[in-house]
Amino acid sequence: MKHKERNSSFELLRIFSMFFIVAHHYAFYGTFNRTNFVFSHVSALRVNLIFLFFGKVAVDIFVMIGAYFLSGKIFNFKRPVNLAITTVIYSLSIFSLLMAFAPEYIWNKEKWFQALLPFPSPTGYWFVDSYLFMLLMMPILNLCLKNFSLIKIKYIITLLFILWSLFPTFTTLFNYKLDFDAGNFGYSSGTYFLLIYIIGGYLRKKGIISEISLSKEILKIIFLVSISVMYVIVFTRSTTLFSFTSIMAYLFNPVSLLLAISIFKCFLKFDFHNNFINYLSGSMFGVYLLHENSFIRPIIWQKLSDSSQYSNNALEYLMYGLQISLLVFVACIAIDILFRRILLLWPIAKLTEAVSRILARITKKEGA
């Protein structure tokens, strides 16, 4: 049977998403002071908040792409195992190289052995942890998506959207209640990824591609982007109002999720194939693992670049951010292709196969 070619529309969207995630980190970790309201920096601050907002939209889209396809597949240990192994290899490699050639960038290096416990990854990645959690929950999620009606799935999405998006948003904006936390309702980045997974699975099960009106989705995108921009403009007019802008950088922002859904639905309408795009998209997790490493991150955004020099000029801050983000993005793609997809392709594949086989045997015995 002929293998169906990957739709490059989704792969292109995956590439765009990871680029905006990199740009988000430029805004979040850069030297520009984004936490204090300085009137002379307001224009650059607004650009910073827009970067932060679209970074979270990009996270939602990136996860939604994976969810859309995984919801139609049978669970295989190879996916989570490969991601875990790749993460450990990158984390250990970066740590070892810095220890050998630039130990000044390793903090608490006298306790380096403690960083290898309880598992051999010196640094953590919240995105990878949450994505692994989603992958491990895939069998249960797919079972629900398969057996529940569209109405029931829509009810679950609505309920979880209220609990894991609206509640965290309102409790963040109006943080006045004592001993009250959105986590009491089960919110975490991992559970939020489950919500996105169910949304992706719902869109796949409903088979709405023919029903999607591109013009309507574009209008939704324009409307949601306009709301977000107006929100930023209004709430950066004074120090008092500025505290309400923190929501732009949070994962659970409901507007970013709704915007992600509309953008994703637009790309559902297109179907084409391009080998170059498909090949590049295979390095997107590598881009994340490289530039978001806890030791590499301050080197990129605080040592090698300086966004604070453009605090008084929004356009220069914007252009500098796009240039630096693109440079980091391209460099990480090149490193990932050379390091993981050429030099370590065979060892990672063999190790993934071996570990996956062991886990499959264990679970098979337990289920017997």
Side-chain angles (χ1 to χ4, degrees), residues 218-281:
I218 291 175
L219 285 175
K220 287 180 186 177
I221 291 170
I222 294 172
F223 174 71
L224 292 169
V225 170
S226 300
I227 286 178
S228 302
V229 172
M230 287 302 298
Y231 183 92
V232 167
I233 293 173
V234 170
F235 286 91
T236 51
R237 289 180 177 274
S238 70
T239 305
T240 305
L241 294 173
F242 177 66
S243 61
F244 289 94
T245 62
S246 63
I247 194 64
M248 302 300 288
Y250 282 101
L251 179 65
F252 48 72
N253 186 334
V255 178
S256 65
L257 179 56
L258 294 174
L259 180 56
I261 293 172
S262 287
I263 293 174
F264 179 78
K265 287 168 73 175
C266 283
F267 276 77
L268 274 175
K269 294 290 288 184
F270 301 99
D271 191 352
F272 70 97
H273 178 77
N274 183 285
N275 288 326
F276 180 70
I277 290 174
N278 289 358
Y279 185 78
L280 282 185
S281 71

Side-chain angles (χ1 to χ4, degrees), residues 129-145:
D129 296 342
S130 301
Y131 204 89
L132 277 172
F133 175 65
M134 185 187 78
L135 289 176
L136 294 173
M137 292 297 290
M138 178 181 162
I140 299 173
L141 295 171
N142 284 358
L143 187 65
C144 295
L145 289 167

Side-chain angles (χ1 to χ4, degrees), residues 2-49:
K2 188 178 179 180
H3 179 68
K4 190 179 185 300
E5 292 182 334
R6 286 157 57 195
N7 183 355
S8 298
S9 175
F10 293 112
E11 305 309 318
L12 184 61
L13 182 57
R14 200 192 304 268
I15 292 170
F16 284 147
S17 297
M18 187 51 66
F19 172 76
F20 277 102
I21 289 173
V22 175
H24 169 93
H25 293 147
Y26 158 79
F28 194 85
Y29 297 113
T31 55
F32 175 77
N33 189 346
R34 64 180 183 84
T35 58
N36 291 331
F37 183 83
V38 179
F39 192 76
S40 61
H41 299 169
V42 166
S43 59
L45 187 59
R46 288 170 177 166
V47 175
N48 176 275
L49 290 168

Side-chain angles (χ1 to χ4, degrees), residues 82-367:
N82 182 267
L83 179 56
I85 289 173
T86 302
T87 302
V88 169
I89 287 175
Y90 262 120
S91 184
L92 278 175
S93 299
I94 291 171
F95 181 78
S96 301
L97 285 172
L98 289 177
M99 280 287 287
F101 301 106
E104 65 272 17
Y105 293 114
I106 302 289
W107 51 88
N108 291 331
K109 48 183 169 286
E110 66 278 1
K111 299 180 180 179
W112 65 268
F113 59 93
Q114 294 180 4
L116 303 181
L117 300 173
F119 47 87
S121 179
T123 58
Y125 298 87
W126 75 265
F127 182 87
V128 174
D129 296 342
S130 301
Y131 204 89
L132 277 172
F133 175 65
M134 185 187 78
L135 289 176
L136 294 173
M137 292 297 290
M138 178 181 162
I140 299 173
L141 295 171
N142 284 358
L143 187 65
C144 295
L145 289 167
K146 180 181 179 180
N147 293 289
F148 287 6
S149 66
L150 288 173
I151 294 176
K152 288 183 179 178
I153 297 173
K154 197 171 183 179
Y155 167 78
I156 293 172
I157 291 172
T158 303
L159 176 62
L160 296 183
F161 178 74
I162 292 171
L163 295 179
W164 296 346
S165 184
L166 292 182
F167 270 23
T169 297
F170 289 129
T171 55
T172 299
L173 292 176
F174 308 102
N175 188 22
Y176 310 126
K177 296 183 184 299
L178 298 177
D179 299 322
F180 185 84
D181 193 306
N184 296 339
F185 295 95
Y187 171 79
S188 69
S189 58
T191 55
Y192 186 77
F193 277 21
L194 300 188
L195 168 59
I196 298 176
Y197 190 101
I198 297 170
I199 292 172
Y202 173 81
L203 293 175
R204 184 181 184 88
K205 182 171 182 173
K206 191 176 182 183
I208 61 168
I209 296 179
S210 60
E211 301 175 10
I212 294 174
S213 169
L214 198 58
S215 58
K216 286 183 179 179
E217 295 305 325
I218 291 175
L219 285 175
K220 287 180 186 177
I221 291 170
I222 294 172
F223 174 71
L224 292 169
V225 170
S226 300
I227 286 178
S228 302
V229 172
M230 287 302 298
Y231 183 92
V232 167
I233 293 173
V234 170
F235 286 91
T236 51
R237 289 180 177 274
S238 70
T239 305
T240 305
L241 294 173
F242 177 66
S243 61
F244 289 94
T245 62
S246 63
I247 194 64
M248 302 300 288
Y250 282 101
L251 179 65
F252 48 72
N253 186 334
V255 178
S256 65
L257 179 56
L258 294 174
L259 180 56
I261 293 172
S262 287
I263 293 174
F264 179 78
K265 287 168 73 175
C266 283
F267 276 77
L268 274 175
K269 294 290 288 184
F270 301 99
D271 191 352
F272 70 97
H273 178 77
N274 183 285
N275 288 326
F276 180 70
I277 290 174
N278 289 358
Y279 185 78
L280 282 185
S281 71
S283 285
M284 293 305 102
F285 255 116
V287 171
Y288 180 83
L289 294 174
L290 279 163
H291 89 281
E292 184 57 1
N293 179 274
S294 300
F295 299 118
I296 294 295
R297 192 167 59 210
I299 297 176
I300 294 174
W301 305 121
Q302 297 186 14
K303 298 291 183 181
L304 299 180
S305 61
D306 180 18
S307 57
S308 64
Q309 61 184 311
Y310 303 111
S311 298
N312 295 315
N313 192 308
L315 181 60
E316 289 185 354
Y317 178 78
L318 170 65
M319 297 308 298
Y320 183 71
L322 293 175
Q323 291 168 13
I324 291 296
S325 298
L326 183 60
L327 180 62
V328 171
F329 186 68
V330 172
C332 288
I333 289 176
I335 294 170
D336 182 70
I337 290 173
L338 178 63
F339 179 67
R340 179 179 66 87
R341 303 178 72 179
I342 295 179
L343 295 178
L344 294 180
L345 178 64
W346 186 84
I348 291 177
K350 289 298 180 183
L351 187 56
T352 297
E353 184 69 34
V355 176
S356 300
R357 194 180 298 117
I358 293 171
L359 291 174
R361 287 175 181 172
I362 292 173
T363 53
K364 189 174 182 181
K365 288 180 181 179
E366 291 293 331

